Amino acid sequence: MKNVWHITTSSLLSLLHICLAVQTNYAPYFFDNVPGSINGNMALLSLSEDTPVGTHIYTLNGTDPEGFPVFYDLTFEPGSKRYFSIDTMNGNVTLIEELDREKQNEIEAIVSISDGINKVSERVRILVTDANDESPEFLNTPYIVNVPEDTPSGSSIFQVDAVDKDSGSGGSITYLVQDGGGKLRGKYQVFTSTTTVTINVEDIQDSPPVFVGTPYYGYVYEDTVLGSEILTVIAFDGDRGNPNSIQYSLLDGADGAFDINNVTGAITVIKNPNELKKEVYELRIQVSELTPSGEVVGQAFTIVTIRVVDLNNHPPTFYGENGPQNRFELTMYEHPPEGEILRGLKITVNDSDQGANAKFNLRLVGPGGIFRVVPQTVLNEAQVTIIVENSAGIDYEKFHLLTFKLLAIEVNTPEKFSSTADITIHLLDINDNVPRFSSEYYVARIPENSPGGSNVVAATATDLDSGLWGEIKYSIYGAGSDPFLIHPSTGIIYTQPWAILDAEENAKYNFYVKAEDTEGKYSLAEVFVTVLDINDHCPEFNENIQERTMVIGSPVKIEATDQDAEEPNNIVNYSIMQADPDNVFDIDQNTGEIKLKSYIRSLDVIQNITRNKNCKWSVVVQAKDRGSPSFSTTAVVKIDVTEETLLHKGPVAAFLMQSKDNPMKALGVLAGVMAIMVVITVLISTAMFWRNKKSNKVMPMRRIIRRRRPDHPPRTIRTEWLKFKKSTGSAEKFAMQDVETDLQNENGNNNSQFTPFPPHAPSPPPPPRLLPKTSKTEWSLPTVSGSLTPRIIDQQMKERVPSVSTALVSELKLMLEKKNAGSTISFY
């Protein structure tokens, strides 16, 4: 499309120019070009051969004098390679083929500029500059060099030649081998080439002959045939590249018995073996190097050892001190030191043959790893030594007797002659074992009522040693061993004659038993003894159960304890044995809670079923354990039955009723209240004293009452601290009502028109009751398994006799009422 537009445009311009032909027309021209310029007519342009294809390399630039548009073109000679393309409109020239300076170092092209009428063409040359894109190349390869082995060190033996087609530094060559380096596609690049130089070292005659396979040994046997070859020696010329011929000769040592082949080096026997006088012959052999002319240019020597060997007709034989012997005995102690020699064994072994026939091995056959024999390989004859290798294996407790076979067997003979000798070793015992218990610990159980001298457990130990060393003596020690003894020989542990074991006092004993031999070697085991509980205690009631107050609807609880150590011996069950009438009370057999029958809900019901109008009963209760045999205890409980309404007489009365069963609680509370009041009194008195002392005035002994303003909120007194906690089902909580008083002061002078009510006079305390001196009598009641006499309860606590505490309670009640009455009055 672009070409069509170009042709159309050119045609139009031509027509236009023709129409204007009457006017003068000037030809277009290129702008002047300077070196390094990238636009003009491409003169003086140079390109690097590594310029990438597709690169914009130049812009043709020119103009027309009349100002007409110009067009550009670029052509090549026919047959030439087209390296560039051009945009005819803007003159941009682009590289379209790769450049190679080494093939074509300049490119000739024709550039033209046209205004449609006139066309100007110029021939230009583009220089292709070098880039380092060629590697060096070696010439005249391959390289093979022959060098005599005697060439002096430092001699020049060869010269290699290489070329690099690049120019400049890229074409220079350094032989390692690499070129001088240069830029390629913008980067510095160094190319290298390698080649192989083969150097052959040429041999010269400068080394003597050499024997191979030395040393040489040969054997002549009793049955060797005369003229037989014994062995062959071999030698070579030391100059392997161009060897000379060699010749063998026998110099001396043969004594006329041997000869050698001077070409092959074979040595033969030339005397009957039976005539040979020596056992060993040493032959001195010479080898000579001969030139082709027969001149001796080198020699070498070696020794050949020939041994005369008889036939293998004798097996190895063992000897004792008195001649041949095949049985040896020794007595020794067990566990000798490792490495010790059994010097009691005098053994010699001999083979009467000669040479290889007299070579044999020794070894022990029997329990492995205990002894080793030295030497293990014998030639002809040796003294046999047996050495301890494993001392632990020589154990009298395992073997009283050790037996071995000493075996001698030939090594390199086809007959493999052999012989054996029996070795018996009798072991003697030493004290090398510690007594060992059958267990690391012993657990025993014994009833607490066991008599003194009762067997507890047998701690048995064994000592593997024999005789006196195996005898064991037992002993015990430790903090828990006091009640026990041990038989020194049998190890039976038993109780001391005086020992009384009581599971309630100590149910666990722990101590050590020691087993010791006659030399003091010992071991320990731990003994654990558990004292088993038996039912040997009767239940015992608490001392404060004999008098109880029961509020209808709430139970009373009795409690008995059993001092036995374990269940079921210390589990107590309760029951009512006797009551009159017997249909008033029930008892919980597990907890001991006594309560009225469910149908009794008031005192009227009780008074209807009994003649006892004061509602007091004596109930016989029984506490019985679950042991076998079972023990029980009975006690009389006096129960005072009352109604809950009788307790609604005030907080003090409620507190006293709650504390009836525990008078010490009431006394403690009263004593605490009194102590607090005394402290408060002392503090107030001290404050008043210091106030009067500072003011130096005598204060009037009267109370000044200030009337409260009408808008003043009423004052209240918090008395939660007087509330008493409810006993278990005995009465409700009692608390004093908050007193609220609003005193109106109509006159506004802070003087009250009301006179406080005077306090009530306290009731006189009851006269002290004189107690007759009575002796404390013991009482006993029949039980299931006999009778039991409990401890005497404090008579004063049983009868609940009023004392000084009653007066203290009355006084405390009075003080509380005073405080309530005056709670709204302020004092100044």
Side-chain angles (χ1 to χ4, degrees):
M1 186 67 184
K2 184 177 181 182
N3 294 333
V4 172
W5 181 85
H6 171 63
I7 295 172
T8 305
T9 304
S10 301
S11 302
L12 292 176
L13 291 174
S14 300
L15 291 174
L16 179 60
H17 291 171
I18 293 171
C19 294
L20 299 176
V22 294
Q23 298 181 358
T24 303
N25 186 278
Y26 296 97
Y29 60 90
F30 286 104
F31 290 128
D32 292 336
N33 193 16
V34 295
S37 175
I38 59 173
N39 54 35
N41 62 353
M42 289 185 73
L44 305 178
L45 176 64
S46 63
L47 289 177
S48 176
E49 63 177 330
D50 61 349
T51 302
V53 173
T55 302
H56 170 232
I57 61 172
Y58 199 83
T59 300
L60 292 176
N61 194 5
T63 185
D64 183 75
E66 289 82 17
F68 293 115
V70 295
F71 305 97
Y72 304 98
D73 195 10
L74 187 149
T75 59
F76 297 89
E77 292 290 339
S80 299
K81 190 173 184 179
R82 183 179 180 85
Y83 285 95
F84 310 109
S85 65
I86 188 171
D87 187 332
T88 59
M89 297 299 295
N90 54 30
N92 290 336
V93 179
T94 303
L95 180 67
I96 60 175
E97 291 289 341
E98 288 186 354
L99 302 177
D100 189 350
R101 188 197 67 82
E102 287 74 28
K103 294 181 179 179
Q104 186 175 353
N105 59 6
E106 65 178 23
I107 300 172
E108 205 172 83
I110 300 172
V111 297
S112 61
I113 182 170
S114 172
D115 59 4
I117 298 176
N118 299 312
K119 182 177 182 181
V120 178
S121 297
E122 295 182 7
R123 186 179 298 273
V124 295
R125 288 185 179 183
I126 296 94
L127 298 179
V128 180
T129 61
D130 188 38
N132 189 25
D133 61 342
E134 298 289 337
S135 298
E137 295 182 2
F138 286 96
L139 303 178
N140 303 321
T141 59
Y143 299 123
I144 300 176
V145 183
N146 295 323
V147 180
E149 63 177 340
D150 59 348
T151 300
S153 176
S155 299
S156 176
I157 60 174
F158 190 70
Q159 182 176 359
V160 296
D161 190 15
V163 295
D164 192 316
K165 296 179 181 179
D166 292 319
S167 62
S169 62
S172 63
I173 297 176
T174 301
Y175 291 94
L176 300 172
V177 175
Q178 66 181 23
D179 62 15
K183 285 189 177 181
L184 176 64
R185 297 182 181 89
K187 295 182 180 180
Y188 186 79
Q189 182 72 39
V190 175
F191 287 99
T192 62
S193 296
T194 60
T195 189
T196 300
V197 179
T198 302
I199 300 176
N200 297 322
V201 180
E202 296 180 340
D203 188 25
I204 63 173
Q205 292 295 331
D206 60 348
S207 297
V210 178
F211 283 99
V212 296
T214 58
Y216 296 109
Y217 295 96
Y219 299 93
V220 176
Y221 298 95
E222 292 178 337
D223 58 350
T224 299
V225 178
L226 185 65
S228 298
E229 182 179 316
I230 306 302
L231 79 162
T232 299
V233 295
I234 300 174
F236 297 99
D237 185 357
D239 302 311
R240 300 294 181 88
N242 184 22
N244 288 324
S245 62
I246 57 175
Q247 181 176 331
Y248 301 96
S249 60
L250 193 157
L251 298 182
D252 53 39
D255 294 342
F258 302 96
D259 195 8
I260 188 171
N261 187 305
N262 59 0
V263 177
T264 63
I267 299 174
T268 56
V269 58
I270 57 176
K271 273 190 178 180
N272 193 313
N274 294 329
E275 299 176 0
L276 300 179
K277 303 301 181 181
K278 293 182 180 181
E279 183 179 347
V280 177
Y281 289 86
E282 290 187 350
L283 310 182
R284 188 165 182 262
I285 307 299
Q286 173 183 288
V287 61
S288 301
E289 179 182 348
L290 303 177
T291 63
S293 61
E295 180 184 359
V296 176
V297 294
Q299 293 176 333
F301 304 89
T302 189
I303 299 296
V304 176
T305 302
I306 298 177
R307 182 180 296 275
V308 179
V309 182
D310 66 339
L311 294 176
N312 185 28
N313 50 10
H314 296 90
T317 304
F318 293 100
Y319 294 86
E321 295 179 326
N322 299 319
Q325 185 177 333
N326 60 3
R327 184 175 180 83
F328 301 87
E329 293 190 8
L330 175 67
T331 300
M332 61 181 292
Y333 284 102
E334 63 175 333
H335 302 305
E338 294 182 359
E340 182 173 295
I341 297 174
L342 304 188
R343 301 187 183 278
L345 294 175
K346 306 294 184 181
I347 306 175
T348 303
V349 63
N350 175 268
D351 190 324
S352 300
D353 290 319
Q354 300 297 320
N357 293 337
K359 186 178 182 180
F360 55 92
N361 289 339
L362 290 176
R363 60 185 176 130
L364 282 173
V365 180
I370 297 178
F371 300 102
R372 62 186 176 92
V373 62
V374 176
Q376 295 183 347
T377 302
V378 179
L379 183 62
N380 289 116
E381 182 176 299
Q383 182 73 33
V384 178
T385 301
I386 296 178
I387 301 174
V388 176
E389 192 168 45
N390 181 11
S391 177
I394 308 173
D395 193 345
Y396 177 83
E397 286 71 34
K398 295 180 181 178
F399 314 102
H400 292 356
L401 195 71
L402 292 173
T403 58
F404 299 88
K405 283 189 177 296
L406 181 59
L407 173 64
I409 181 170
E410 293 179 347
V411 179
N412 297 321
T413 64
E415 297 83 7
K416 300 292 183 183
F417 289 140
S418 64
S419 60
T420 59
D422 294 325
I423 298 177
T424 302
I425 299 176
H426 302 271
L427 295 181
L428 301 177
D429 193 20
I430 63 173
N431 187 19
D432 61 330
N433 290 283
V434 176
R436 299 291 181 187
F437 281 99
S438 59
S439 176
E440 293 182 358
Y441 57 89
Y442 295 89
V443 178
R445 297 175 177 85
I446 183 171
E448 62 179 342
N449 63 347
S450 301
S454 298
N455 289 345
V456 179
V457 66
T460 57
T462 56
D463 192 321
L464 298 178
D465 294 318
S466 61
L468 294 176
W469 289 319
E471 294 182 0
I472 299 175
K473 179 181 179 181
Y474 297 93
S475 60
I476 58 175
Y477 68 93
S481 65
D482 293 342
F484 304 97
L485 294 173
I486 188 170
H487 193 284
S489 300
T490 63
I492 295 176
I493 300 174
Y494 55 94
T495 58
Q496 295 268 15
W498 50 263
I500 300 176
L501 302 178
D502 190 346
E504 290 72 38
E505 293 183 1
N506 191 356
K508 303 289 183 181
Y509 293 90
N510 176 218
F511 54 90
Y512 291 93
V513 58
K514 179 180 181 181
E516 185 177 11
D517 64 14
T518 54
E519 285 190 347
K521 295 182 178 180
Y522 69 91
S523 62
L524 300 176
E526 198 165 1
V527 180
F528 301 89
V529 178
T530 301
V531 179
L532 300 177
D533 182 46
I534 64 170
N535 195 19
D536 58 349
H537 289 81
C538 297
E540 293 183 3
F541 285 102
N542 295 340
E543 294 181 352
N544 59 351
I545 72 164
Q546 293 191 352
E547 288 189 2
R548 292 296 176 95
T549 298
M550 177 183 288
V551 177
I552 294 177
S554 301
V556 296
K557 184 177 180 180
I558 62 173
E559 187 174 4
T561 57
D562 192 310
Q563 298 299 324
D564 286 314
E566 299 176 358
E567 298 181 358
N569 297 336
N570 57 7
I571 302 299
V572 178
N573 290 337
Y574 302 91
S575 62
I576 297 177
M577 302 299 296
Q578 182 180 352
D580 186 19
D582 59 358
N583 59 346
V584 177
F585 300 102
D586 286 329
I587 189 169
D588 189 311
Q589 67 169 357
N590 296 320
T591 65
E593 289 186 346
I594 301 175
K595 58 185 177 179
L596 293 171
K597 296 286 187 178
S598 60
Y599 66 88
I600 299 176
R601 299 182 180 178
S602 66
L603 290 177
D604 295 336
V605 179
I606 297 177
Q607 291 172 354
N608 290 335
I609 64 175
T610 180
R611 294 171 295 178
N612 191 357
K613 301 304 180 181
N614 59 1
C615 296
K616 291 185 178 181
W617 276 268
S618 295
V619 180
V620 180
V621 295
Q622 181 190 63
K624 182 179 181 180
D625 64 27
R626 296 183 184 178
S628 180
S630 178
F631 290 96
S632 64
T633 301
T634 58
V636 177
V637 182
K638 293 180 180 181
I639 301 177
D640 184 1
V641 181
T642 184
E643 288 184 326
E644 190 173 10
T645 57
L646 296 178
L647 300 177
H648 292 173
K649 295 180 180 180
V652 177
F655 173 72
L656 294 176
M657 182 59 68
Q658 294 175 17
S659 304
K660 186 176 180 181
D661 294 335
N662 191 359
M664 297 304 296
K665 178 179 179 181
L667 291 176
V669 173
L670 290 174
V673 172
M674 292 179 66
I676 293 173
M677 293 180 65
V678 170
V679 172
I680 294 173
T681 303
V682 171
L683 292 175
I684 293 174
S685 300
T686 303
M688 294 292 292
F689 170 77
W690 285 104
R691 181 179 179 183
N692 294 336
K693 184 177 180 180
K694 290 181 179 180
S695 62
N696 294 323
K697 294 181 181 180
V698 177
M699 303 301 295
M701 294 298 294
R702 62 186 180 90
R703 292 180 295 178
I704 300 175
I705 301 174
R706 184 172 65 183
R707 197 181 186 106
R708 183 184 302 175
R709 293 182 309 210
D711 58 346
H712 194 280
R715 295 184 179 178
T716 59
I717 296 177
R718 303 275 181 192
T719 57
E720 285 81 355
W721 63 278
L722 287 174
K723 294 181 181 180
F724 299 96
K725 293 184 179 179
K726 182 179 178 181
S727 301
T728 54
S730 61
E732 296 178 352
K733 294 182 180 178
F734 297 95
M736 295 181 64
Q737 298 294 328
D738 293 342
V739 180
E740 181 177 331
T741 305
D742 188 9
L743 300 179
Q744 301 294 331
N745 187 356
E746 297 177 356
N747 298 327
N749 57 0
N750 294 331
N751 292 327
S752 175
Q753 295 179 349
F754 299 95
T755 302
F757 297 102
H760 297 286
S763 301
R769 183 177 178 181
L770 299 177
L771 298 177
K773 294 183 178 179
T774 58
S775 60
K776 297 180 180 179
T777 59
E778 297 183 355
W779 53 275
S780 63
L781 293 175
T783 65
V784 175
S785 58
S787 61
L788 180 66
T789 303
R791 290 171 287 187
I792 299 300
I793 304 174
D794 190 348
Q795 196 69 18
Q796 194 175 27
M797 298 300 294
K798 291 169 57 178
E799 296 182 2
R800 305 289 184 185
V801 178
S803 62
V804 182
S805 62
T806 305
L808 294 175
V809 172
S810 300
E811 185 175 356
L812 176 61
K813 182 177 180 182
L814 177 61
M815 294 175 67
L816 293 173
E817 291 175 352
K818 286 181 180 180
K819 190 172 183 66
N820 291 335
S823 60
T824 60
I825 301 175
S826 300
F827 296 91
Y828 290 87

